[in-house]
Amino acid sequence: MRRRINPGMMGVIPLSWVLSACLGSIAPAAETWTDSSGKFQIEADYAGVQGKSVVLRKSDGSTISVPIDRLSDQSRALAKRLYEQSKQPQGIASPTTSGAIDVSSYDPPSQFANLVAPAPPQIPPLAPFPSDPTLQEQLDYVKQQVLAGHLEVIWHCLPEDLRAQLDSQEMRDIFRDYLNDYSQQSRTFEDTMAKLVEVLTTKKEFVLGSSMLSNQPPQVVPMIRKAYDPAVGTLYELLSLSAALGNLDEKPISQITHYHLPRLGAHLKQLVAMAPPEKVNQFVDSIVVEQSGPNAGTLTAPAENGKMESIEMVKDSGRWLPKDFLDLWNENKATFLEQARESAESSQQELAEKTPPQVAAMLETVGQAANQSLDAMLAAKSQQQFDQVLMQTFQQAMMMGAAFGAGPGMPAGGGPGGPGGGPGGPAGPGFGDEPF
């Protein structure tokens, strides 16, 4: 029987192959900002531009907006430089670099542009894919690029004809209706997560000063504080990527991956840097590469069950790929779009069946309750008020979790997510004229 391919679940090289030791610095140092009179001075991080003001994040996590025309010449020049840098995709090689994707015209989702989340740190450009690599050379290349923050390198490991199919307008049109339905069902979740990011950024001082955090073991608290900004940035970029995938019919996958994944990877790079190096090195050292011929080899790596798993690899058109995956693609490439259409229709039907009206109403109720709690956190004026709301929210969540665990009809995963599930791109200008 001929095997069928699921176009919505295409994947090629597990990310677990390339997780490794910590690299890079943690966070850029705060800048000194002054006004034109010389009387105002503050140490703060650049957080974005809103209208004609620059947004600065203070050490306690709170933000202030300073009119650009009130800045000193030096601070105005600094703001302009950082603003121009923020408009460029993080760590993307120039369009002239072999294999690079030009995303200079890409506009990230803007429905949540008012959120000021931790900016991703700068990372070096994506290196060109090696020419005619050995299996070890390709593995080393992928590992190095992922460790540098370039999760989009996985896109370049796919066969060129598959990338062309996935990027085609016809392919994206096939999934339009399904993604629109998913986005509609995820709207409450999307709004809730956006508000959560707002709480985590604007109430950072209260979050880190909460009684719940102070009750943690002493050795854990510094780790939480260190990981806070990269974790919040990771959450924001995941939601931004999800929103972009919800508009897949408008933007090619190559642009979405090459804009959002480096930003996500830059934050994850900071989090990986906090992991014990010996643990990650132990995993990386356990990967065994054996190349039995110019175009054949095996890759042995730890599986989810803790045992070692061997994957037969073959080289095709300068790319090493799992043999099963490549065989499946070659068997089905002629009917790929037809199968994609069937997959989209089936997924749309399953979405309707898994989220009947009563479940949708339940999720809407949960979302409203969560938004009320988050609104109360945003309104808190003191640590005491914030802690009180946080404790009440925690208790409500425990009660709801117990109720849902016993309730019938909940879809797998417990709630909507995926495409359309979060806020848009970086905190960027939602204005017509350039601020500088």
Side-chain angles (χ1 to χ4, degrees):
M1 179 182 295
R2 183 178 183 181
R3 298 180 298 170
R4 293 178 63 81
I5 198 166
N6 184 347
M9 299 296 292
M10 294 297 290
V12 57
I13 296 182
L15 286 177
S16 59
W17 293 3
V18 291
L19 294 178
S20 184
C22 49
L23 291 176
S25 58
I26 296 303
E31 305 282 358
T32 300
W33 303 85
T34 57
D35 71 347
S36 54
S37 70
K39 297 179 181 179
F40 171 83
Q41 179 173 310
I42 187 174
E43 297 286 333
D45 292 323
Y46 171 85
V49 169
Q50 291 181 348
K52 296 294 184 180
S53 296
V54 61
V55 181
L56 304 177
R57 180 179 291 106
K58 298 188 291 185
S59 59
D60 62 5
S62 62
T63 58
I64 59 172
S65 295
V66 182
I68 293 172
D69 58 10
R70 288 182 54 189
L71 293 174
S72 66
D73 291 343
Q74 183 178 3
S75 292
R76 184 182 176 91
L78 174 62
K80 182 177 182 179
R81 175 173 61 82
L82 295 174
Y83 169 72
E84 293 296 336
Q85 287 180 359
S86 70
K87 292 171 61 180
Q88 299 299 319
Q90 294 292 317
I92 299 298
S94 67
T96 57
T97 301
S98 176
I101 304 296
D102 182 11
V103 293
S104 58
S105 61
Y106 178 82
D107 293 322
S110 59
Q111 62 265 45
F112 299 101
N114 60 312
L115 293 177
V116 181
Q122 292 288 330
I123 57 177
L126 174 68
F129 202 93
S131 176
D132 194 29
T134 64
L135 179 55
Q136 184 67 59
E137 288 172 345
Q138 178 170 315
L139 178 64
D140 290 342
Y141 165 76
V142 174
K143 179 182 70 175
Q144 291 165 3
Q145 296 310 305
V146 170
L147 290 176
H150 288 293
L151 304 183
E152 78 279 14
V153 70
I154 303 302
W155 171 261
H156 293 277
C157 293
L158 295 172
E160 185 175 0
D161 49 358
L162 173 57
R163 281 179 277 155
Q165 287 271 37
L166 293 173
D167 239 5
S168 68
Q169 185 64 55
E170 184 177 4
M171 176 69 176
R172 291 182 280 130
D173 287 343
I174 287 173
F175 284 92
R176 178 189 290 115
D177 291 342
Y178 166 70
L179 292 172
N180 285 340
D181 287 352
Y182 215 134
S183 181
Q184 288 297 322
Q185 290 199 12
S186 301
R187 187 61 50 83
T188 299
F189 172 81
E190 182 179 86
D191 294 342
T192 300
M193 296 309 294
K195 195 161 291 185
L196 173 61
V197 172
E198 186 178 1
V199 169
L200 293 174
T201 52
T202 63
K203 298 297 180 180
K204 177 182 177 180
E205 179 182 5
F206 290 163
V207 174
L208 294 179
S210 67
S211 57
M212 294 182 67
L213 181 61
S214 62
N215 290 332
Q216 299 300 314
Q219 67 273 21
V220 173
V221 175
M223 297 172 59
I224 295 176
R225 292 182 177 276
K226 189 175 183 180
Y228 189 89
D229 280 350
V232 174
T234 297
L235 174 61
Y236 179 86
E237 295 300 339
L238 280 171
L239 296 173
S240 178
L241 172 61
S242 182
L245 291 173
N247 297 321
L248 188 62
D249 56 309
E250 300 176 3
K251 302 288 184 181
I253 295 179
S254 57
Q255 286 195 354
I256 292 175
T257 58
H258 283 71
Y259 179 87
H260 291 281
L261 292 188
R263 303 177 68 87
L264 176 61
H267 286 300
L268 289 174
K269 175 184 174 182
Q270 294 180 302
L271 294 175
V272 171
M274 300 174 197
E278 63 276 9
K279 294 291 184 181
V280 188
N281 287 336
Q282 181 181 2
F283 170 79
V284 174
D285 292 342
S286 67
I287 300 176
V288 179
V289 173
E290 294 183 5
Q291 186 166 335
S292 55
N295 301 309
T298 58
L299 188 69
T300 304
E304 292 183 359
N305 59 9
K307 298 181 180 180
M308 300 299 289
E309 178 183 5
S310 292
I311 303 171
E312 189 174 358
M313 304 291 291
V314 294
K315 186 162 67 171
D316 180 82
S317 301
R319 299 287 192 275
W320 285 93
L321 299 161
K323 184 177 184 300
D324 286 346
F325 170 86
L326 188 61
D327 289 345
L328 189 62
W329 166 240
N330 287 331
E331 289 174 14
N332 291 272
K333 65 173 64 178
T335 59
F336 184 66
L337 290 175
E338 176 185 344
Q339 293 188 42
R341 187 172 291 104
E342 294 176 3
S343 176
E345 293 172 353
S346 174
S347 297
Q348 195 169 5
Q349 180 64 31
E350 290 178 7
L351 181 64
E353 294 174 353
K354 288 183 177 180
T355 316
Q358 62 270 28
V359 174
M362 184 186 302
L363 295 174
E364 182 72 21
T365 300
V366 174
Q368 291 175 354
N371 282 333
Q372 289 176 357
S373 296
L374 293 170
D375 283 335
M377 292 181 194
L378 290 171
K381 302 297 184 183
S382 66
Q383 185 70 63
Q384 183 179 4
Q385 291 177 358
F386 187 87
D387 285 353
Q388 184 178 3
V389 175
L390 187 61
M391 183 57 67
Q392 292 173 349
T393 302
F394 180 76
Q395 293 171 348
Q396 291 173 357
M398 295 291 288
M399 294 173 59
M400 287 184 177
F404 288 169
M410 283 297 291
F431 43 85
D433 298 329
E434 291 292 299
F436 297 100

